[in-house]
């Protein structure tokens, strides 16, 4: 009607309308792909030039996207980013940046607003990432820092016993531990660190007595007995309970000596394997996907301490191995290497459970 009122003939109008209809068949996919390509390029640029800031931004945008905080942190570390635990005295409510060369548990986290040069920043995990510490409590802890001890946290920030125990388990109270030993520049766990955390967890019950309605100095039972050091596996379990991730050592790293003896190939080593080679890989399942366009095939992603492996499971293989492939949080997969246009996948032929204890949960069929 609009074209007719402007003197356009019916024949030309039909031709124009047919062209518009034809464009509609691919116009949306085209615009979608252009927008997505721009997003991919922009984020890739940020990841290359500002990897720490990129990681902090993604962590602060959770929950979102395809990858869990564990995968984001592990990938950042593989690309040279230093990731530090939350800290009640130097950290912030959200993930933040601090100088990589600064003390891991010192005052570097409270910068004066001076921009940190690219490539020299470390990521400090946010206090709100600790189990049971919501945004309000994290904001109170950030605003009231520095803290003299757990009793101070209870009295001024209103932190509960359960929250204190979670903060201690996550390592966020390490700076308050008088028994602590010096850390290395990466802030990784050293001898005595985890024993100190257990002592802090013990003391949380006593410190929780120091509420604002009670007189200072009446806390009793704060001195812990001699506590056994946790095993490395228990440390990983503690991290997963308190943070939902293992920012230092992961279960896959602990299991690697045994996997090496079995000939299990690391993800990073698959780049040197030719197409058609049959290998066994192992890792924690991050995703399971079954697109309608895949005609019954299921796609899995395994993550070990060196990277990711894309697994393709045919319809027949999925039917055969579904009880294992769907239920187990970590898997050993035997399959055939396939390469196409620069990408590599493993076509699964056999699945086997990989016992690792607690691991981050997968994001399946989303």
């Amino acid at each position: 009607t609009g074209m007719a009122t402007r003197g356009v003939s019916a024949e030309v109008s039909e031709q124009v309308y047919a062209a518009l209809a034809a464009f509609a068949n691919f116009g949306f996919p085209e615009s979608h792909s252009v927008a997505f390509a721009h997003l991919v390029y922009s984020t890739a640029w940020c990841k290359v030039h500002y990897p720490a800031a990129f990681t902090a931004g993604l962590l602060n945008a959770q929950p979102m996207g395809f990858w869990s905080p564990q995968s984001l942190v592990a990938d950042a570390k593989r690309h040279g980013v230093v990731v530090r635990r939350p800290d009640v005295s130097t950290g912030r409510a959200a993930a933040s940046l601090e100088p990589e060369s600064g003390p891991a548990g010192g005052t570097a986290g409270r910068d004066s607003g001076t921009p940190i040069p690219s490539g020299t920043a470390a990521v400090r995990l946010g206090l709100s990432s600790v189990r049971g510490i919501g945004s309000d409590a994290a904001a109170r802890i950030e605003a009231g820092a520095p803290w003299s001890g757990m009793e101070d946290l209870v009295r001024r920030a209103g932190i509960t016993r359960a929250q204190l125990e979670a903060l201690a388990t996550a390592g966020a109270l390490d700076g308050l531990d008088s028994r602590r030993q010096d850390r290395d520049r990466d802030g990784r766990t050293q001898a005595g660190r985890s024993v100190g955390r257990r002592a802090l967890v013990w003391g949380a019950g006593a410190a929780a007595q120091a509420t604002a309605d009670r007189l200072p100095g009446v806390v009793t039972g704060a001195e812990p007995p001699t506590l056994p050091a946790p095993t490395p596996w228990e440390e990983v379990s503690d991290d997963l309970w308190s943070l939902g991730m293992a920012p230092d050592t992961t279960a896959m790293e602990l299991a690697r000596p045994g996997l090496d003896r079995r000939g299990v190939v690391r993800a990073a080593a698959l780049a040197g394997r030719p197409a058609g080679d049959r290998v066994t890989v192992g890792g924690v399942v991050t995703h399971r996907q079954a697109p309608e366009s895949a005609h019954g095939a299921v796609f899995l992603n395994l993550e070990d301490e060196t990277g990711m492996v894309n697994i393709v499971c045919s319809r027949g293989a999925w039917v055969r191995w579904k009880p294992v492939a769907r239920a187990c949080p970590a898997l050993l997969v035997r399959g055939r290497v396939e390469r196409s246009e620069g990408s590599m996948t493993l076509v699964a032929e056999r699945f086997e459970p990989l016992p690792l204890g607690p691991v981050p949960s997968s994001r399946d069929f989303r």
Side-chain angles (χ1 to χ4, degrees):
T1 301
M3 287 187 283
T5 58
R6 289 166 176 76
V8 180
S9 67
E11 181 180 0
V12 173
S13 298
E14 290 295 335
Q15 291 175 351
V16 171
Y17 187 85
L20 291 172
F23 176 80
N25 290 330
F26 69 89
F28 171 76
E30 182 181 42
S31 61
H32 181 81
S33 64
V34 170
F36 191 74
H38 181 267
L39 178 63
V40 169
Y41 180 86
S42 299
T43 52
W45 188 93
C46 291
K47 183 176 180 179
V48 168
H49 295 286
Y50 297 91
F54 179 75
T55 301
L58 290 179
L59 291 174
N60 289 337
Q62 296 296 315
M64 60 157 285
F66 210 62
W67 304 106
S68 69
Q70 173 69 72
S71 294
L72 295 173
V73 166
D75 180 75
K77 290 171 61 180
R78 288 192 291 267
H79 287 83
V81 176
V82 174
V83 179
R84 295 174 179 151
R85 293 173 178 271
D87 190 285
V88 295
S89 292
T90 66
R92 301 186 183 276
S96 58
L97 301 183
E98 57 188 41
E100 182 181 340
S101 58
T107 60
R110 302 283 176 164
D111 62 81
S112 61
T114 303
I116 301 173
S118 173
T120 63
V123 175
R124 174 75 69 180
L125 297 178
L127 293 163
S128 59
S129 65
V130 178
R131 181 189 185 101
I133 306 295
S135 56
D136 291 343
R140 293 197 302 271
I141 295 172
E142 177 182 341
W147 303 93
S148 61
M150 288 191 289
E151 295 177 32
D152 194 21
L153 279 165
V154 173
R155 185 171 297 276
R156 291 199 289 124
I159 301 303
T160 66
R161 173 178 178 169
Q163 290 172 327
L164 277 181
E165 291 174 343
L167 288 167
T169 305
L173 304 182
D174 286 355
L176 307 180
D177 181 13
S178 61
R179 287 167 293 276
R180 73 185 186 276
Q181 299 181 14
D182 291 336
R183 295 180 180 179
D184 59 11
R185 74 185 289 268
D186 285 353
R188 295 181 181 274
T189 302
Q190 292 191 9
R193 172 65 56 189
S194 294
V195 176
R197 289 178 191 154
R198 286 197 165 184
L200 288 167
V201 173
W202 176 281
Q209 303 171 38
T211 53
D213 59 343
R214 302 185 67 177
L215 292 173
V218 298
V219 169
T220 59
E223 187 63 29
T226 301
L227 299 171
T231 67
W233 291 97
E234 288 173 333
E235 292 179 355
V236 172
S237 181
D238 287 347
D239 284 341
L240 291 173
W241 178 84
S242 60
L243 287 169
M245 69 173 82
D248 296 331
T249 303
T250 65
M252 280 301 301
E253 291 177 82
L254 298 178
R256 179 52 61 184
L259 296 176
D260 284 342
R261 289 191 292 270
R262 296 185 58 178
V264 177
V265 178
R266 290 173 169 83
L270 288 176
R273 296 285 184 152
D277 198 9
R278 280 180 166 78
V279 298
T280 299
V281 298
V284 177
V285 181
T286 64
H287 301 90
R288 296 176 178 89
Q289 300 292 326
E292 293 183 4
S293 59
H295 306 292
V298 177
F299 301 89
L300 299 89
N301 186 278
L302 295 187
E303 182 176 18
D304 67 11
E305 73 277 23
T306 68
M308 308 279 190
V309 183
N310 295 318
I311 308 292
V312 178
C313 186
S314 68
R315 182 175 183 177
W318 182 253
V319 170
R320 179 179 181 183
W321 298 104
K322 182 177 179 179
V324 174
R326 182 163 187 168
C328 295
L331 293 166
L332 292 172
V333 182
R334 177 76 175 175
R336 184 181 71 256
V337 175
E338 279 197 356
R339 298 186 179 278
S340 176
E341 299 180 354
S343 65
M344 190 281 299
T345 58
L346 191 72
V347 180
E349 298 174 347
R350 180 182 178 84
F351 290 86
E352 181 181 338
L354 176 58
L356 291 179
V359 295
S361 59
S362 58
R363 301 183 172 189
D364 297 337
F365 307 111
R366 296 188 178 182

